[in-house]
Amino acid sequence: MEKILVIDFGSQYTQLIARRLRELSVYSEVCPWDEIPDLSEVKGFILSGGPESSNIEGNPSIDQHIFDTKKPILGICYGMQVLAYQEEGRIINEGKREFGYAKIDIKQDSILFKNLDKSSDVWMSHGDKVESLPDGYKITAVSNNSPVAAYENIVKKYFGLQFHPEVTHTESGITIIKNFLEICDIKQNWSSYDILQQINALIKTEVKDEEVLLALSGGVDSTVLAAVLHKSLGNKLTCVMVDHGLLRKDEALNVVNNLKEKIGLSVNLVNAQDTFLSKLKGIKDPEVKRKIIGNTFIEVFESESKKLNDINWLAQGTIYPDVIESAGNSKTKAKVIKSHHNVGGLPERMQLKLLEPFRMLFKDEVRKLGKTIGLPTEIVERHPFPGPGLGIRIIGEVNKDRLDKLREADHIFLSELKKQNLYYSASQAYAFYLPVKSVGVVGDNRIYADVIGLRSVNTTDFMTARATALPHNFVEYVSTRIVNEIDGISRVVYDITSKPPATIEWE
């Protein structure tokens, strides 16, 4: 299959590049810079950004096999710098970083900038910059801080951008990527049906007729995966859901009943609340919490698999943002943002083979898959819920009292969003627990109690997000309900921080 290969030099934005290509119906794959696959069907290359300096010996470089294909190359940020450097240009670091919005001025006609205005807002994030270009290259755009904001070698079809076209902050980024796809002469015909065919092929070649145990959380990813695998595997699939005591109000029973009614799937519900809470006792560090939850998940599933006959595989709904934030491609020198329970927490001694068909997909692609196979809106468009559950929505130690308070606050928030037709106007909304004492007055009595936070964001890819502009009257009403109805809560706050710099979850 024709593809664009994204070379990962360790940028947190690498998967966004792949996602933009998928949005444009072009199949793309991401590979680490030092693990280059077969290149026979590659129509072009995009080199990602990265945290290193391109002109230091031993840092990530472009594999010679890429140059040998004589296919088009687009370098972004670090990718631009390392391309220029390996072509014998000069890179410098003046000790100044350029981060955030910048305005570029297009100085030369370029097929990469076709249909763009001469001046455009872009998103910069770099410390190094190109000081002089190799022979055969010309500057196509400049900015106040970057005398070489873009360049090209039209003969070789090599292009470099100091800015990031893949982020939504760059106003003409999609147009630039489209222009590069035209240069690569690749068909825009990648679809959900192609993804399904790939998954079916994976199951045929890898799983064959072996038994699969699905770790079902009840969220969108694992639920869609359950439906997809159910179609392929039939009674070879066993779904197990662990009630770890970190779920939302009535979550476990609602999920089990929903899947039975909507999909025809039977789910084995395992009550492991005491096990998880005992292991989390006294633990405050979020990374430690995530790993404990991840390890305990696997232990429980291994234990359950031994009660079943001939289980060989453990299936999980891991998606691309989970992998990149956990720095799943370790050789890329990507910086770990946070470990996901189904990525960073996997113990090396796991006895089951791992099946993660969605590992290269984004959340919106999973939703499209769900719609393609006919799942109802209430399942496909449900807000995401993290695998570690409320364990990472309680800041600090997790205990039953805090869980009960948070469960009720979260229920009030989500139920009111649904009642007032605001639920689907947000991509993800939830309550979190802040163990910060605050003075309040309830029923003429002074209280000194903890705080509940509310967070609601809008996003398409869950790699960047903005706070939902919920009506003030609505937030005020929810706040009043929470403080009045839940003992031991003194006040409510609303988090308006975007991602980045924040993550969507607090831990």
Side-chain angles (χ1 to χ4, degrees):
M1 180 182 294
E2 291 184 347
K3 69 186 78 168
I4 299 295
L5 193 63
V6 181
I7 309 300
D8 185 8
F9 287 115
S11 171
Q12 301 297 340
Y13 294 143
T14 298
Q15 274 62 30
L16 276 182
I17 302 170
R19 184 185 177 279
R20 297 297 177 236
L21 296 169
R22 305 264 186 96
E23 279 180 338
L24 295 168
S25 302
V26 168
Y27 180 60
S28 62
E29 289 181 4
V30 175
C31 74
W33 62 275
D34 54 355
E35 292 181 11
I36 303 301
D38 176 68
L39 302 178
S40 57
E41 294 184 290
V42 176
K43 299 285 285 184
F45 302 88
I46 298 182
L47 313 177
S48 84
E52 310 301 329
S53 290
S54 57
N55 57 351
I56 296 177
E57 187 176 347
N59 276 349
S61 60
I62 305 167
D63 191 289
Q64 183 59 41
H65 291 95
I66 292 173
F67 292 117
D68 291 343
T69 65
K70 301 191 183 307
K71 298 293 184 182
I73 297 175
L74 172 61
I76 296 172
C77 197
Y78 179 91
M80 171 226 206
Q81 295 158 13
V82 75
L83 176 58
Y85 179 70
Q86 287 187 236
E87 287 278 278
E88 299 188 352
R90 178 173 166 77
I91 312 299
I92 61 168
N93 187 322
E94 297 178 328
K96 294 186 296 184
R97 286 184 57 83
E98 186 177 19
F99 183 84
Y101 280 107
K103 189 175 289 293
I104 62 163
D105 294 313
I106 297 172
K107 295 300 184 184
Q108 296 275 353
D109 288 337
S110 170
I111 52 176
L112 194 66
F113 293 149
K114 187 175 69 172
N115 300 322
L116 262 67
D117 294 335
K118 291 296 183 184
S119 183
S120 184
D121 286 337
V122 300
W123 186 259
M124 295 279 193
S125 178
H126 67 98
D128 296 355
K129 60 186 177 183
V130 178
E131 183 181 44
S132 62
L133 287 171
D135 291 341
Y137 286 75
K138 68 178 182 181
I139 298 170
T140 53
V142 301
S143 73
N144 284 340
N145 196 48
S146 297
V148 185
Y151 64 67
E152 72 176 19
N153 182 321
I154 197 62
V155 175
K156 292 183 176 180
K157 295 184 180 175
Y158 292 172
F159 305 86
L161 302 174
Q162 186 60 79
F163 56 91
H164 289 268
E166 70 273 25
V167 301
T168 54
H169 308 71
T170 296
E171 61 182 358
S172 299
I174 293 297
T175 301
I176 293 171
I177 294 172
K178 267 185 176 178
N179 290 339
F180 181 68
L181 294 177
E182 283 186 26
I183 294 165
C184 295
D185 191 28
I186 189 169
K187 294 174 182 154
Q188 293 178 242
N189 57 5
W190 172 247
S191 70
S192 294
Y193 294 101
D194 294 306
I195 297 172
L196 284 171
Q197 285 181 344
Q198 276 199 339
I199 292 172
N200 289 335
L202 171 70
I203 291 167
K204 275 187 180 178
T205 57
E206 296 290 328
V207 179
K208 299 174 184 174
D209 61 349
E210 294 180 333
E211 300 278 342
V212 176
L213 176 64
L214 172 62
L216 185 70
S217 71
V220 173
D221 305 323
S222 65
T223 303
V224 174
L225 180 59
V228 169
L229 294 180
H230 182 58
K231 286 180 178 290
S232 299
L233 295 168
N235 60 11
K236 294 286 183 184
L237 175 68
T238 300
C239 294
V240 174
M241 182 175 182
V242 174
D243 184 355
H244 46 25
L246 308 173
L247 297 171
R248 289 173 287 201
K249 187 174 182 179
D250 301 326
E251 179 94 351
L253 289 177
N254 287 341
V255 167
V256 170
N257 293 336
N258 226 350
L259 291 176
K260 182 70 175 175
E261 293 171 10
K262 307 292 185 185
I263 303 175
L265 269 174
S266 293
V267 180
N268 298 338
L269 183 62
V270 179
N271 188 331
Q273 295 182 26
D274 292 343
T275 300
F276 279 84
L277 286 178
S278 65
K279 290 194 175 188
L280 289 169
K281 186 175 181 179
I283 304 298
K284 296 181 180 180
D285 183 271
E287 279 294 287
V288 177
K289 284 196 289 187
R290 283 177 176 273
K291 285 190 163 71
I292 287 173
I293 293 168
N295 285 334
T296 308
F297 252 110
I298 303 303
E299 288 171 7
V300 172
F301 278 112
E302 283 182 336
S303 174
E304 288 303 306
S305 71
K306 289 172 185 174
K307 299 175 186 176
L308 304 165
N309 291 325
D310 302 320
I311 293 290
N312 303 104
W313 293 84
L314 172 63
Q316 294 190 134
T318 307
I319 60 173
Y320 234 166
D322 299 341
V323 175
I324 187 58
E325 288 188 336
S326 297
N329 290 331
S330 60
K331 290 189 177 182
T332 63
K333 299 188 180 182
K335 308 302 184 187
V336 175
I337 303 300
K338 57 188 177 185
S339 295
H340 287 261
H341 83 283
N342 51 350
V343 181
L346 292 178
E348 293 180 3
R349 54 155 182 64
M350 191 179 70
Q351 297 170 16
L352 299 174
K353 291 180 282 188
L354 194 59
L355 178 64
E356 295 178 320
F358 293 171
R359 190 179 177 87
M360 298 290 282
L361 301 183
F362 290 93
K363 180 75 71 176
D364 58 314
E365 289 182 302
V366 173
R367 292 190 197 280
K368 286 176 187 174
L369 269 188
K371 291 173 183 175
T372 298
I373 62 175
L375 293 180
T377 299
E378 59 263 35
I379 289 178
V380 176
E381 296 297 336
R382 189 168 184 241
H383 287 192
F385 186 64
L390 302 181
I392 58 165
R393 291 181 176 174
I394 293 174
I395 313 306
E397 183 181 359
V398 177
N399 58 47
K400 188 176 184 304
D401 179 64
R402 289 176 176 179
L403 281 166
D404 289 343
K405 290 173 183 174
L406 179 56
R407 248 190 285 272
E408 195 58 40
D410 190 73
H411 176 69
I412 290 170
F413 186 29
L414 296 183
S415 63
E416 288 298 338
L417 282 169
K418 290 172 183 175
K419 279 183 193 175
Q420 302 194 35
N421 295 318
L422 293 168
Y423 184 80
Y424 292 118
S425 68
S427 304
Q428 184 171 350
Y430 66 91
F432 55 94
Y433 193 99
L434 286 171
V436 178
K437 298 296 182 185
S438 169
V439 174
V441 179
V442 177
D444 294 327
N445 291 315
R446 177 189 184 276
I447 63 168
Y448 189 51
D450 290 345
V451 176
I452 289 290
L454 304 178
R455 183 145 169 80
S456 180
V457 298
N458 290 91
T459 179
T460 55
D461 50 41
F462 288 85
M463 295 297 288
T464 61
R466 297 186 70 180
T468 309
L470 293 174
H472 178 79
N473 288 344
F474 170 81
V475 177
E476 187 176 46
Y477 177 69
V478 170
S479 171
T480 300
R481 276 200 63 189
I482 289 172
V483 174
N484 286 344
E485 296 176 29
I486 304 174
D487 289 337
I489 298 299
S490 62
R491 67 181 66 203
V492 175
V493 295
Y494 186 57
D495 178 5
I496 63 168
T497 318
S498 63
K499 175 185 180 179
T503 55
I504 292 175
E505 296 289 344
W506 264 58
E507 289 193 339

